[in-house]
Amino acid sequence: MARRPTIADVAQLAGVSRATVSFVLNDRPGVARATQKRVRAAAEELGWTPSRSARALSTGRARAVGLVLTREPDLIGTDPFFPAFMAGIESVISETGDGLMLQISRPGDEMKTYRRLAADRRVDGVFLTDLRMDDFRPALVDELGLPAVAVGAVEGGTHLPTVNLDDRPAVRHAVHHLVELGHRDIAYVAGPEEFVHARRRRQAWADALAEAGLPSGPVVPGGFTAEGGARATQVLLARATPPTAIVYANDLSATAGMAVAQEAGLLLPDDLSMVGFDDVPLASWTRPSLTTCRANPASWGKAAALALVEVIEQGTTADVELDPATLVLRGSTGPAPTRGGR
């Protein structure tokens, strides 16, 4: 059976973006007449027709997509990942004329938040981020008939389209880099255990140590927060034998850890090497600049938005696998100190 043509196929043939195709095929204003003709000709040539769900959504659209974040509001405000991720979303939906509805929900209210969004028809679809072990949300949005895209790998798989970025190669590379610099005692400051991506990063750290023939180093929870990163660093530095290097689950906890180490009188990286994750803009401005794993949250947000637009308009879309995270070497990593010099 031949594959049904998608909006992406029409966009490629017409030489325009998927957002432009959505504009034209939904009779939205703002597209040049020549471009409209090219898009419609491409759709006709490919035999593209809207899916049943797309027809149902063609009337009564909310013209908004939803992002529900289940974290404490003050923590969201201090995490640089989400502003960049949302900027990527906005770069797409600004072309389609849609808006982004951000909902902050406490864990106990999360299910009610999604049900309310669907019942009130406030959004046409949602992004599922911070995917968790035994996550109830994929089944919930299916029950609600709410179009959705899973941002990141889903434990055990899902019928939902996913936009994933493999963070493991960069974490393994970071550990191997530290081993090559002579480090043998490499600690890890972990993100929340319930998050799939936090577990994957921690496991990648452990796997890399095993590959290097080293025992697993100490692990301390950091919770993806500055406060958690600071506390975890204090715990590690108070050990009878402190580590010579620390890998953090994100840049926010790493930058807080840098401040704690420097306040303790340590020189970075002479006395202690540090590695973060995300490569937020601040990472290149710390002193020393932070070695980190680049995930490019803005590009991730853009890819997720393109996928969700297609799910809303077409009823489905293909999974997207982004380029994996990469290690960015900066000034916070250096040769391991001799124990006598600590």
Side-chain angles (χ1 to χ4, degrees):
M1 182 176 177
R3 182 177 71 86
R4 177 177 177 166
T6 67
I7 283 180
D9 297 325
V10 177
Q12 183 175 12
L13 182 59
V16 298
S17 70
R18 286 186 283 188
T20 298
V21 172
S22 294
F23 252 58
V24 173
L25 298 180
N26 285 285
D27 297 317
R28 302 287 312 284
V31 181
R33 189 180 299 269
T35 302
Q36 292 183 41
K37 289 182 177 180
R38 195 162 73 249
V39 169
R40 295 188 187 283
E44 183 175 354
E45 180 179 335
L46 293 171
W48 179 89
T49 55
S51 67
R52 184 182 305 170
S53 59
R55 287 194 191 98
L57 287 168
S58 64
T59 58
R61 285 276 303 274
R63 306 297 336 172
V65 292
L67 176 61
V68 179
L69 298 182
T70 308
R71 298 189 186 188
E72 294 297 329
D74 55 336
L75 299 184
I76 293 170
T78 58
D79 189 342
F81 176 87
F82 282 106
F85 180 77
M86 288 186 281
I89 294 173
E90 289 285 359
S91 71
V92 173
I93 63 175
S94 62
E95 290 189 44
T96 64
D98 294 338
L100 174 63
M101 176 174 285
L102 175 64
Q103 294 279 290
I104 308 300
S105 174
R106 299 190 184 278
D109 298 329
E110 189 175 19
M111 184 176 290
K112 289 189 289 187
T113 300
Y114 283 99
R115 291 190 181 281
R116 186 170 61 250
L117 286 174
D120 296 347
R121 302 193 179 192
R122 295 199 220 173
V123 297
D124 301 311
V126 292
F127 303 98
L128 302 186
T129 63
D130 282 344
L131 297 165
R132 301 185 287 270
M133 310 298 294
D134 300 319
D135 204 318
F136 69 86
R137 292 174 296 170
L140 176 62
V141 295
D142 186 48
E143 172 199 331
L144 297 173
L146 189 60
V149 167
V151 181
V154 180
E155 190 71 15
T158 179
H159 65 282
L160 291 179
T162 62
V163 179
N164 184 45
L165 180 149
D166 193 351
D167 41 21
R168 294 169 295 184
V171 176
R172 288 197 297 267
H173 189 184
V175 174
H176 291 316
H177 167 64
L178 292 168
V179 171
E180 289 171 0
L181 290 171
H183 294 275
R184 297 295 179 265
D185 189 351
I186 304 171
Y188 190 73
V189 173
E193 270 295 291
E194 67 268 24
F195 292 161
V196 173
H197 60 293
R199 288 199 181 197
R200 282 161 52 105
R201 292 175 196 176
R202 174 178 170 173
Q203 188 60 51
W205 162 82
D207 290 345
L209 287 176
E211 291 163 6
L214 296 174
S216 182
V219 179
V220 181
F224 283 159
T225 69
E227 293 80 5
R231 285 194 301 269
T233 305
Q234 290 167 343
V235 169
L236 290 169
L237 296 183
R239 290 170 60 90
T241 304
T244 64
I246 306 174
V247 178
Y248 293 79
N250 73 346
D251 287 345
L252 186 60
S253 57
T255 52
M258 291 175 73
V260 167
Q262 289 167 333
E263 287 175 3
L266 298 179
L267 297 177
L268 308 181
D270 296 351
D271 298 322
L272 178 66
S273 287
M274 293 185 165
V275 179
F277 193 101
D278 282 332
D279 193 28
V280 300
L282 178 63
S284 62
W285 293 99
T286 58
R287 288 294 175 265
S289 55
L290 180 64
T291 292
T292 187
C293 303
R294 177 176 292 159
N296 201 337
S299 292
W300 207 346
K302 181 176 181 180
L306 287 169
L308 186 55
V309 166
E310 187 155 332
V311 171
I312 292 168
E313 300 290 353
Q314 185 81 359
T316 188
T317 190
D319 292 342
V320 178
E321 187 68 31
L322 301 173
D323 291 337
T326 57
L327 181 65
V328 180
L329 297 178
R330 295 198 180 104
S332 66
T333 49
T338 59
R339 284 297 182 182
R342 288 295 301 273

